[in-house]
Amino acid sequence: MMRALNLLDPAVEPKPSDHILEIAEAVKKLLNRGVAYELEGDIYFDITQSTSFGAISGYSDKLKNTFSSSRGGDPERKGKRNPLDFLLWRAIVDETDVAAWSTEVGYGRPGWHIECSVMSNQYLGADIDIHGGGTDLIFPHHECENAQSTALGHDPFVKTWMHAAPMLLGGDKMSKSLGNLVFVRDILQQTEPAALRIALMSYHYRSGGEWRNDLLAQAVDLLAGIRQALRQPSGGDPRPFRERIIAALNDDLNAPEAIRVLQEMVQATILGNSSPNAAEGLRGVLDLLGIDAAADV
């Protein structure tokens, strides 16, 4: 908007936001530390100066080049020290460009990755306990984000990286461009949040999978069973089931296995009569899994 005002009044100089200035300062630091270089006004990160580049993905150079080319990079650009060197700052010559600012590293705008490093440092501090995202962000985005943040002195930048596989519909990744989206707001017009949570926990975060309405129907049935079990005066011993569910969650957050054990626990609670603490134990497991089933009990 500020740039648009400048087009109407050339005397008005668009002022960069504090965030843009912080990004430019980070880029200048990388230049001063010798891990970045200029190429025809653009500024690139030199991956050979990073000891951690490639550690997150573990991908081969061939695969990294393929992903770089298809995900916003420019490995084919001549003059770069390495095809995988990534953009920190794009020089802009068009003075009418609505997304360009005058900064200490020139007139232009930030690259994709450096913005996230600066934002995370501003809002989360020098290091992050858990950094998540889709598997499509492993490379180049998170690999580049980690390399530049480490070079800025945040070492380790992230203690644990977690990447979730995409949900599919009709065999393709759900995306706005394909229009094959299932919206939470639409599902919640038909069923309860607890049922949706159970259905989503039927997928492992690393593998994702095809969205299936039958899993939602199964989740609705399980939720009904849970509520029936919570009304039982006694049931099966809840302790072995809780131990198995905790073990499943400790095994790389194996939520599908936790849901399978929960189903067994519900049946044991409904059919058994050996423990007066069965319902209480089931409530504890539901709290552990974040399933609020008590609304209609």
Side-chain angles (χ1 to χ4, degrees):
M1 181 63 69
M2 294 179 71
R3 195 61 184 172
L5 290 175
N6 186 48
L7 296 179
L8 298 175
D9 182 1
V12 177
E13 178 66 24
K15 296 181 179 180
S17 67
D18 289 343
H19 188 57
I20 291 294
L21 294 176
E22 290 168 0
I23 293 173
E25 182 180 353
V27 172
K28 187 174 182 180
K29 285 181 180 178
L30 293 172
L31 279 170
N32 292 340
R33 293 177 183 183
V35 297
Y37 62 93
E38 292 190 42
L39 176 61
E40 298 173 340
D42 297 333
I43 301 175
Y44 283 89
F45 186 92
D46 184 349
I47 65 166
T48 64
Q49 301 302 310
S50 171
T51 58
S52 63
F53 191 83
I56 295 175
S57 66
Y59 296 158
S60 66
D61 284 348
K62 181 178 180 180
L63 186 56
K64 284 186 285 192
N65 273 283
T66 298
F67 282 149
S68 176
S69 182
S70 63
R71 295 174 178 174
D74 55 358
E76 72 289 341
R77 182 175 181 180
K78 294 182 179 179
K80 291 171 62 176
R81 296 177 182 176
N82 186 292
L84 292 173
D85 290 348
F86 56 90
L87 187 72
L88 296 170
W89 187 264
R90 173 72 73 195
I92 303 297
V93 296
D94 182 3
E95 294 186 356
T96 67
D97 194 306
V98 296
W101 299 269
S102 295
T103 71
E104 59 184 328
V105 291
Y107 182 70
R109 58 174 167 262
W112 172 25
H113 316 295
I114 191 65
E115 295 177 280
C116 289
S117 287
V118 173
M119 283 191 293
S120 65
N121 180 62
Q122 179 179 352
Y123 294 109
L124 301 176
D127 55 51
I128 302 172
D129 290 325
I130 299 175
H131 193 322
T135 52
D136 54 335
L137 295 178
I138 295 175
F139 193 91
H141 186 48
H142 288 168
E143 197 79 79
C144 298
E145 188 183 356
N146 183 64
Q148 66 199 9
S149 294
T150 302
L152 286 168
H154 310 313
D155 189 10
F157 169 50
V158 171
K159 296 175 183 176
T160 301
W161 292 90
M162 294 186 69
H163 295 96
M167 293 298 295
L168 309 176
L169 188 64
D172 293 313
K173 171 187 172 183
M174 288 190 189
S175 67
K176 290 185 290 185
S177 59
L178 293 177
N180 60 340
L181 297 173
V182 176
F183 292 100
V184 170
R185 63 172 180 266
D186 295 333
I187 295 175
L188 293 182
Q189 290 180 356
Q190 307 168 25
T191 191
E192 300 175 68
L196 176 56
R197 182 175 181 84
I198 292 170
L200 290 174
M201 290 179 71
S202 301
Y203 299 88
H204 195 285
Y205 80 93
R206 281 191 187 273
S207 56
E210 182 83 12
W211 172 254
R212 293 164 42 195
N213 288 326
D214 64 303
L215 284 179
L216 185 59
Q218 292 171 25
V220 171
D221 290 341
L222 177 55
L223 184 58
I226 289 170
R227 287 172 173 160
Q228 180 183 349
L230 290 172
R231 291 191 290 265
Q232 300 295 111
S234 64
D237 186 351
R239 291 173 296 182
F241 297 103
R242 180 181 175 86
E243 291 174 1
R244 290 171 59 195
I245 287 174
I246 291 175
L249 296 179
N250 286 335
D251 180 21
D252 195 21
L253 203 61
N254 191 346
E257 176 61 19
I259 293 298
R260 283 190 288 270
V261 177
L262 176 61
Q263 290 173 321
E264 294 180 27
M265 186 179 190
V266 167
Q267 288 301 309
T269 305
I270 293 173
L271 300 176
N273 58 12
S274 61
S275 173
N277 299 318
E280 181 182 352
L282 178 56
R283 286 191 181 92
V285 165
L286 295 174
D287 287 341
L288 182 66
L289 297 176
I291 299 173
D292 182 7
D296 294 342
V297 174

